[in-house]
Amino acid sequence: MRRFLVLLATLATLASCAGLSTLPAAATPSYCGLGWGSQDKTSSHYAAATVADVRAGRHECFDRLVIDLSGPVAGYHAGYVGTVTQDGSGAPVPLRGGAFLQIAVLAPAYDDAGNSTYTPSNRTELLSTNGYPTFRQVAFAGSFEGRTTFGLGTRARLPFRVSTLDGPARVVVDVAHHW
């Protein structure tokens, strides 16, 4: 029996030295299988699109903000900030929530003649977030020099992802309900 235990110990030592393991590796826990992080997301693709509308939806594992475009998909920059600021002036945009995402779409909210393509009836409350597990407030922070910015107040600094979709063109921001 002693020789058998020595043999097992020797094999275990050799396996660990070779980087092999007979035990399965511990899986990194994730919420709903989402492997998103909370760092900035960027795509620097400019397009001739303009911002047409903003809407939101609730899903089982995340809340979704959709920015509809009237043209080819545009790039974006999204990240958590201490204070969301207005385009052009830099004035703060007050938001409810424990964390704030500043989302800039590389498309204007006006056409070539300077006419608005997106004019919210209430710049501080673009849509109702009642009943959303993560979203607390969505605000319009302005459009300046071909870039349109939105502020998204969330419950906390949570993992998020940004994607673009064609047909119709849109920028989509998903924020997980939990880590």
Side-chain angles (χ1 to χ4, degrees), residues 11 17 20 30 38-39 44 54 59 94 100 118 124 126 128 178:
L11 288 174
C17 289
L20 304 173
S30 64
S38 64
Q39 298 301 312
S44 58
V54 176
H59 295 267
F100 312 113
Y118 175 68
T124 61
L126 298 185
S128 173
H178 302 284

Side-chain angles (χ1 to χ4, degrees), residues 48-74:
T50 59
V51 173
D53 197 13
V54 176
R55 54 196 169 88
R58 290 178 294 231
H59 295 267
E60 182 180 345
C61 300
F62 56 88
D63 290 345
R64 171 170 283 178
L65 181 70
V66 179
I67 302 163
D68 292 315
L69 305 172
S70 62
V73 172

Side-chain angles (χ1 to χ4, degrees), residues 20 32 36 43 51 67 73 83 108 117 127 140 144 146-147 154 164:
L20 304 173
C32 287
W36 311 336
S43 168
V51 173
I67 302 163
V73 172
T83 303
T117 59
L127 46 97
F140 183 61
F144 185 71
R147 170 184 159 127
T154 61
T164 57

Side-chain angles (χ1 to χ4, degrees), residues 3-4 10 30-31 49 59 99 103 111-112 115 139 147 152 160 176:
R3 284 184 186 177
F4 180 71
T10 303
S30 64
Y31 173 71
H59 295 267
I103 303 157
D111 62 20
D112 290 338
N115 301 311
R147 170 184 159 127
L152 175 58
F160 74 100

